[in-house]
Amino acid sequence: MDNTLSVPAPKRRSSLGKLSPSFRVGGVIVLLVVLAALASLARPLQDPNRANFGKQFAPPSAEFWLGTDQLGRDLASRLLAGAHNALYVGLIAVGIGLVLGSLLGILAGYLGGWLDQIVMLGLEALYALPALLLALLLAAVFGPGAFSSMVAIGVAAVPAFARLARAGVLAVKAQPYVEAAQALGATSSRIMFRHVLPNILGPLIVQASLAFAGAILAEAALSYLGLGTQPPTASWGRMLREAQSYLAAGLSPYPSIWPGLAIALTVLGFNLMGDGLRDRLDPRAKT
Amino acid sequence: MWTYTFRRLGLAILTLWLASTLVFMVVLFIPGDPVATILGMDANPDVAEKLRHDLGLDRPPLERYFSWLAGVATGDLGTSIRYGISVGGLILKSLTLTLPIVLLSLMLATVIAVPLGILAARRAGGALDFAASLFALLGLALPSFWVGLMFIYLFAVNLGWLPSNGFPQKGWADPLNALKYLALPVLTIGLARSALLTRMVRGSLLEVLSQDYVRTARGKGLSERVVVNKHALKNAALPVVTVLGLEFAQLLIAAVVVEQVFGLPGLGSLALTGIQARDYPLVQGVVLVLAMFIVALNLVVDLLYGYLDPRVSYG
């Protein structure tokens, strides 16, 4: 059975063989979440916002695979829609952190001098304001919502990316190929983004995967507090917020159980993928 | 050492100044008229004028900025719109709930993580080690507020052992009763935070155990217990101290969220009430106080690290 696999593309197989088990497990989980998010767009189940009165708090059944919530809405369908929301918020937030952080880190590391000092000081100050605090501030000003929470999570992720990028640039800056590019008269921006950036991407990609896990957790927490995604959009954190009082009253545990498991599984997937990527892409890191 | 301490202290103050500036600036971006946002469109003009004056909105931004900074430096964080009393007083009162939660959770996390981490490192690769790794992975992935919900379902709804919500009116006047209301929140946060800590203790101890001086100690014929407890643990503690400091910041944030699960009137609920009432002096105050804690803890950890490890250079 197995030898049929090894024949067609030996080169690819050998590189796949190096991927650690944690990357494979994490990758499969992430793939499942992505598929769930895509599937939600096709609406394979009921509309996630359709209320079924008279069928509130139904246990899992053939009609409602995972049961229903306090409005009789299909939990399975809401869970899929929640995957879409989580990945959307995570993608934007990590995008903000990655782009802004890498840019600041590369500029600070490559140009050095007072710019470096100022950027580092700014990052130090940002460290004192984690995502939740930024989100509280933004919600106080602009009102709570998915936008505020995405910006807060993204900005809070900037320092980690910037530090990694800066450290990478400092290590790469003295390499002969950078010197060669400088001698050839390449502009600073060309050197930074054509020569330096590709060589420091590894750790940044690893961090992106780990930051994605953090963003999913943060989004869930913010939505749970009422600061993130607003109703009726299905969000895992928001679902837990709405389910809580019914759980405490002993009505139905299902609306409280599934979203938490979905969050945990997704976070686990991105964490494992990040760990696996680190073994592969970040030669300096120890396993 | 003194130069380092002063430089580090200077950096902390600079950081706080920047953070408070950020916190101040946010208000400048409030879309439209903040007074109209707070009071609604058809508010009494006299009331609106008074609020505008109280908030200092009738003064130019730069002047407001300096009076905000002066207030922060002297501990005056302004007046809450919703409650009409000083923000500092409100925060102090909620800290009597939030700080005990944070400290108790940190204690619980340490009590779990240190022995578990040591055991896992001593039997690295064994079943217990595997269980500890699994525990750490779960602790990192499970949202703490959800674990809190599950604890409510298990311990309060099904078993009826502990209260699930609120804090007694008498507060700390009846400490035993008060602690009963903190049991589930502390368990929730402490368990979650011990996961990462366990992994740190294990990793740190494993690294130390592979060093030459430990091999020498074993070669001398010392028992494994003496090698671990007397020789390895002290050095393994260093990275853990750093993590404990960072953990404290995480704990503070986790506490703000988990307080909400258990309906505890701490800093978190104070900030959320502030947001609902568009009471931004209150929100600014809470955010700034939390940021101060984080900066102060980073400072303490950095200084402690240098003190504990004579090899750290203060360059």
Side-chain angles (χ1 to χ4, degrees), chain A residues 135-149 222-223 225-231 238 241, chain B residues 272 275-278:
Chain A
L136 285 173
L137 280 178
L138 288 177
V141 171
F142 300 107
F147 174 77
S148 296
S149 66
L222 291 177
S223 294
L225 293 177
L227 298 175
T229 311
Q230 298 296 311
R238 185 86 207 178
R241 175 188 177 83
Chain B
L272 290 173
I275 283 172
Q276 269 159 20
R278 287 293 174 112

Side-chain angles (χ1 to χ4, degrees), chain B residues 206-261:
Chain B
L206 265 185
E207 202 172 313
V208 171
L209 283 177
S210 70
Q211 281 179 12
D212 287 345
Y213 80 94
V214 171
R215 195 185 53 195
T216 308
R218 282 185 180 139
K220 284 197 299 190
L222 295 179
S223 73
E224 188 63 20
R225 217 187 54 175
V226 175
V227 170
V228 171
N229 292 353
K230 283 222 139 170
H231 293 252
L233 266 186
K234 269 185 205 160
N235 283 315
L238 285 169
V240 177
V241 167
T242 320
V243 174
L244 265 183
L246 298 175
E247 271 295 283
F248 201 101
Q250 292 292 323
L251 265 170
L252 214 54
I253 297 301
V256 166
V257 179
V258 171
E259 267 174 12
Q260 221 43 39
V261 178

